[in-house]
Amino acid sequence: MRYLLDTNILLRLAVAEDPLHPRVLDTVRSLEADGHELCCSTQALREFWHVCTRPKSANGIGKELDEVGRMLDALAARLTVLLEDESTYSHWVALVRKLEVKGAACHDANHVAIALSHKVLTILTLDVSDFRRFSLVGIKAVDPSE
């Protein structure tokens, strides 16, 4: 099975001092050991960069650029990176219209559009509720504790 890792999972994987790091790391290792393919979207990598380089005073992690670059390279080497393609936009437009997606949730819809474009139907996330509406199009959101 293929899993799309949400940005919050990527952040917990890369930042060892995060309290959720052990739980997320154990889940990812278990999925890898069971032969599952772990993927991330280019959007999640951009969001990862955004949060990691944003100052702590602005609810970021405040890492230096060279360190974030190494973290990004490590994630991209470990995971299958799913690129946005022509079908991503078509999926996204259909999702936001059909499910009446508003505001910041349009970013979650884009993650789902990328997943659908690459036939990935399971998203590993710490925010299952953010993806619940997408079950209507066949997407299953799973928390690492599950």
Side-chain angles (χ1 to χ4, degrees):
M1 181 184 301
R2 301 172 84 199
Y3 285 81
L4 180 68
L5 305 188
D6 193 12
T7 307
N8 56 42
I9 298 295
L10 299 182
L11 289 165
R12 272 42 176 229
L13 267 181
V15 181
E17 55 271 12
D18 188 287
L20 295 176
H21 173 80
R23 182 172 94 191
V24 169
L25 184 60
D26 287 347
T27 299
V28 165
R29 285 180 175 161
S30 177
L31 290 170
E32 288 172 329
D34 290 343
H36 298 288
E37 181 182 1
L38 303 182
C39 309
C40 68
S41 67
T42 51
Q43 176 182 329
L45 293 174
R46 286 191 303 273
E47 292 174 355
F48 175 86
W49 185 275
H50 174 97
V51 173
C52 286
T53 60
R54 191 171 57 213
K56 288 181 180 182
S57 62
N59 200 28
I61 297 175
K63 299 277 187 190
E64 295 296 323
L65 292 177
D66 60 333
E67 182 179 3
V68 178
R70 287 191 300 275
M71 293 162 61
L72 193 73
D73 291 344
L75 288 169
R78 182 177 193 171
L79 307 171
T80 300
V81 177
L82 304 180
L83 303 175
E84 296 183 44
D85 59 21
E86 292 176 15
S87 69
T88 301
Y89 179 73
S90 298
H91 282 296
W92 180 80
V93 168
L95 288 168
V96 297
R97 288 182 173 161
K98 178 180 180 176
L99 302 176
E100 300 179 357
V101 176
K102 298 176 183 176
C106 74
H107 300 296
D108 296 331
N110 195 63
H111 279 294
V112 171
I114 295 167
L116 291 171
S117 294
H118 292 276
K119 299 178 178 27
V120 178
L121 300 179
T122 307
I123 297 177
L124 186 67
T125 180
L126 296 169
D127 297 320
V128 170
S129 62
D130 290 352
F131 292 94
R132 195 164 282 129
R133 73 172 80 197
F134 300 108
S135 66
L136 295 172
V137 295
I139 295 293
K140 180 180 179 183
V142 179
D143 185 281
S145 62
E146 296 175 27

